[in-house]
Amino acid sequence: MLLEEEAAFRRKLEEADGQARNGESSQEPERMLLIAAGGHEGGGDSRMLENAMEMGQRLSALESPLLHVFVKEFDGEGHISVVPALLAKGIRLALAKTAEERAWNV
C-alpha cells in the first residue's frame, strides 16, 4: 500500500511539474518539507532515523521544482528531546526568504 501511495504521489508531482515547466498554471503550490530525527533514534527495532533518512533520499531524488526536501539529523537528541530543536529549525526554515538562507538553516 505504501508503495502505491508513493507512486501516486510521484505521478501527481510529475504532472504538476510538467504544467509548471510548460508555463501553465499549476494548482500545486511550491512546498518545503523538513524530515528530521534525533541521532539517538536509530538502530535496534525502531530504525526511525534510518527510515527518515531513506525517505528524505527518495523524495529528494524526485528533483521537483515544486518540492524542496530538507533532511536533518539532530545529533545527541532522542525521540522527545528532538522536538524543541526540530521546532526551532522548522521555524527558521519556514521564515527563510531565499534558497541560500534555506540551505544555511538546514
Side-chain angles (χ1 to χ4, degrees):
M1 174 137 174
L2 186 59
L3 293 177
E4 292 170 5
E5 290 178 7
E6 180 181 346
F9 176 78
R10 183 183 299 264
R11 283 191 301 275
K12 184 176 180 180
L13 189 60
E14 288 171 351
E15 181 180 312
D17 285 349
Q19 291 173 347
R21 288 186 181 118
N22 290 332
E24 300 172 28
S25 175
S26 171
Q27 294 183 4
E28 291 296 319
E30 184 177 330
R31 293 188 171 101
M32 290 187 296
L33 174 64
L34 173 59
I35 299 173
H40 292 301
E41 295 186 276
D45 293 335
S46 167
R47 292 193 33 83
M48 187 169 295
L49 176 61
E50 293 85 358
N51 290 340
M53 298 299 118
E54 182 181 329
M55 179 186 291
Q57 290 172 352
R58 291 171 73 117
L59 291 174
S60 294
L62 296 176
E63 297 181 355
S64 169
L66 298 176
L67 179 65
H68 304 281
V69 180
F70 302 92
V71 182
K72 176 72 176 162
E73 176 183 344
F74 290 94
D75 290 328
E77 302 297 341
H79 193 67
I80 301 299
S81 66
V82 74
V83 174
L86 176 57
L87 286 173
K89 185 65 72 177
I91 290 169
R92 285 195 306 271
L93 182 61
L95 296 177
K97 294 183 179 14
T98 65
E100 290 81 23
E101 288 178 350
R102 287 194 298 263
W104 181 81
N105 279 310
V106 176

